[in-house]
Amino acid sequence: MEGHRDDVVSNRPRKVYSDDQLAIEIPETAHQISSDSWFQVGFVLTTGINSAYVLGYSGAVMVPLGWVGGVVGLILATAISLYANALIAYLHEFGGKRHIRYRDLAGFIYGPKAYKLTWVLQYINLFMINVGYVILAGQALKAIYVLFRDDNEMKLPYFIAIAGFACGLFAICIPHLSALRIWLGFSTFFSLIYIVIAFALSLRDGIRAPPRDYGIPGSNINKVFTTIGACASLVFAFNTGMLPEIQATVKQPVVGNMMKALYFQFTVGVVPLYAVAFMGYWAYGNETSAYLLSSVSGPVWVKTFANISAFLQTVIALHIFASPMYEYLDTKYGIKGSPLALKNLSFRVVVRGGYLTVTTLLAAALPFIGDFMSLTGAISTFPLTFILANHMYLVAKRNKLSSLQKSWHWLNVVFFGFMSVAAAVAALRLIAVDSKNYSIFADV
């Protein structure tokens, strides 16, 4: 493990809660901390929000909300996401300790029950994000296939299986989050390719196309549920659900450097997302597909290049969101030393391969990417990023906050709690409707 003395997590397990009868212990991490610049961390965050998921926001966000709701919603989601992530970043060294995992921070503030609950919520959040990534990678591969052979012989689940295998190989080769390094450069390059191509081809199609219908589709009751689901997709778009784990990799001063990375993410980093979401909706109206590259027209080689880039970037991005699970397992079973050591390599093959096999199986069985974005935002992104962040800050800083500030944080807790419940109901309804319309392992 690298870093200055103050940055190193103690080799001895430490308590995360002060009551000796309730104390839980967390071990030293098997992964690197305090080794990355704020700029590298900023690219990690930007890679997350500009992954191939951006190709779905025209359909998942703009279509259900329309121009006014979509534009205002994306801007508001950007602002409140920056605010909520800043609250978490400021608590990273709360109590004179460095909290390198989300559950460590929750456990230190609340106790062991919150430690376990936060880990469950975060695991669900990251697992479902990874399911979505495998679906996206499969869709990109299928889009390439359809460009050359539209015979319907190869179904989407087959491509999802291929994508899962590729993600497994990458997970075996990259031991931890800090080891991505040059791959973040490749990820940015791949992102720029499919974003520029999607933007340019959508612009060309929009100029040539007749007037589009921008009305919000569906019956009144369907509009209510799709609007709520789109709100969950909005918060999903900008948040990782693993900020302390990412912040753990940044060099000292950890709060100052993390804030630089967040400002980078929510200024420069959001521009490509906005551009693709707005342009896709402008070009195709409410007929925009859930995967924008399926809507665009243009030279086959250009679309192939874009889809290959989307596939490769998705493989890299998935590794970021799977890293907390990998860190937990590597630490629990003492996987340290050379990544090429036989024990370590075998462990990654079996454990990470098994994890991604389960992920791929669920992705192939229920390949409804928009529904997964909504459900993930509802049951984990809302609680982790907005409810928990505001309440943890309220508890941690209660003696330093004015009555007005406390009321503000409580308002956030209550409002986002209501939104979480409503969005979960809407997302489950969407999944139920899609499950009736399509069979398991559907070719959508």
Side-chain angles (χ1 to χ4, degrees):
M1 187 167 49
E2 300 175 358
H4 300 294
R5 182 180 176 183
D6 291 340
D7 303 336
V8 178
V9 178
S10 172
N11 290 328
R12 295 173 297 174
R14 60 182 174 84
K15 296 176 184 177
V16 296
Y17 189 60
S18 58
D19 189 328
D20 290 338
Q21 294 181 338
L22 297 176
I24 51 177
E25 295 181 339
I26 57 173
E28 175 193 13
T29 179
H31 289 191
Q32 290 183 351
I33 65 168
S34 298
S35 59
D36 301 339
S37 67
W38 72 263
F39 194 61
Q40 179 173 334
V41 173
F43 266 97
V44 170
L45 294 168
T46 302
T47 292
I49 66 170
N50 286 304
S51 67
Y53 273 115
V54 301
L55 299 172
Y57 294 143
S58 296
V61 172
M62 297 301 295
V63 170
L65 297 179
W67 273 120
V68 175
V71 173
V72 173
L74 280 168
I75 293 173
L76 284 178
T78 303
I80 63 175
S81 295
L82 172 59
Y83 174 73
N85 280 279
L87 294 180
I88 299 170
Y90 281 123
L91 293 176
H92 192 76
E93 294 180 308
F94 173 65
K97 302 179 186 296
R98 201 168 170 186
H99 308 287
I100 64 172
R101 306 175 184 91
Y102 214 132
R103 59 190 183 277
D104 297 354
L105 178 59
F108 185 83
I109 293 175
Y110 299 119
K113 290 183 178 179
Y115 178 92
K116 295 175 182 177
L117 178 60
T118 303
W119 180 218
V120 170
L121 281 174
Q122 188 182 36
Y123 175 81
I124 293 172
N125 179 63
L126 299 176
F127 177 72
M128 293 182 68
I129 288 174
N130 289 331
V131 169
Y133 273 127
V134 177
I135 295 172
L136 279 170
Q139 286 180 327
L141 290 178
K142 183 185 176 182
I144 296 170
Y145 178 83
V146 169
L147 288 173
F148 296 95
R149 288 188 60 183
D150 195 8
D151 54 17
N152 208 34
E153 288 186 8
M154 286 283 286
K155 309 294 184 183
L156 178 59
Y158 303 151
F159 294 107
I160 288 176
I162 297 170
F165 180 75
C167 291
L169 287 179
F170 191 78
I172 292 166
C173 294
I174 306 298
H176 49 73
L177 191 58
S178 291
L180 280 172
R181 298 189 185 280
I182 191 172
W183 291 103
L184 294 174
F186 283 120
S187 175
T188 302
F189 174 68
F190 294 142
S191 296
L192 287 174
I193 289 173
Y194 63 71
I195 286 172
V196 169
I197 290 175
F199 183 90
L201 294 183
S202 296
L203 175 61
R204 190 182 73 161
D205 287 348
I207 293 173
R208 294 177 176 179
R212 277 78 70 194
D213 182 5
Y214 297 110
I216 300 174
S219 63
N220 289 335
I221 187 65
N222 282 336
K223 288 179 182 179
V224 172
F225 283 107
T226 55
T227 298
I228 296 173
C231 291
S233 296
L234 279 171
V235 299
F236 170 85
F238 298 104
N239 297 285
T240 63
M242 51 176 285
L243 194 78
E245 287 81 358
I246 295 175
Q247 191 170 0
T249 68
V250 76
K251 295 177 181 178
Q252 291 280 13
V254 291
V255 174
N257 281 333
M258 194 64 201
M259 290 307 301
K260 291 179 182 177
L262 286 172
Y263 290 139
F264 180 84
Q265 174 194 2
F266 286 102
T267 52
V268 177
V270 299
V271 172
L273 186 154
Y274 284 179
V276 173
F278 296 153
M279 182 56 67
Y281 186 59
W282 173 80
Y284 309 107
N286 59 21
E287 297 296 322
T288 307
S289 69
Y291 180 68
L292 185 58
L293 291 178
S294 296
S295 295
V296 301
S297 59
V300 170
W301 72 269
V302 174
K303 295 173 67 174
T304 301
F305 194 33
N307 280 295
I308 290 174
S309 298
F311 167 73
L312 294 174
Q313 198 278 341
T314 298
V315 172
I316 299 171
L318 183 148
H319 192 76
I320 295 173
F321 289 93
S323 61
M325 175 54 65
Y326 299 157
E327 187 275 335
Y328 166 75
L329 293 169
D330 290 351
T331 300
K332 181 177 177 63
Y333 294 102
I335 304 301
K336 299 182 180 180
S338 172
L340 298 178
L342 182 60
K343 174 190 173 183
N344 297 348
L345 188 60
S346 301
F347 183 86
R348 293 202 300 276
V349 170
V350 174
V351 175
R352 297 187 184 187
Y355 172 77
L356 286 167
T357 297
V358 175
T359 303
T360 302
L361 183 63
L362 182 59
L366 297 171
F368 311 122
I369 187 64
D371 299 350
F372 267 100
M373 283 194 289
S374 298
L375 187 60
T376 304
I379 68 175
S380 51
T381 307
F382 269 128
L384 281 173
T385 305
F386 298 101
I387 301 172
L388 198 57
N390 275 278
H391 196 266
M392 283 197 303
Y393 195 83
L394 181 65
V395 172
K397 305 289 185 179
R398 58 183 175 272
N399 296 327
K400 298 180 180 180
L401 299 176
S402 66
S403 297
L404 182 61
Q405 289 173 317
K406 290 179 181 179
S407 298
W408 164 251
H409 288 293
W410 273 117
L411 177 64
N412 279 282
V413 169
V414 173
F415 173 74
F416 289 114
F418 170 78
M419 287 298 299
S420 179
V421 173
V425 172
L428 288 172
R429 179 182 178 275
L430 288 171
I431 290 175
V433 170
D434 283 337
S435 297
K436 289 181 180 179
N437 294 335
Y438 300 98
S439 62
I440 194 170
F441 297 104
D443 183 34
V444 295

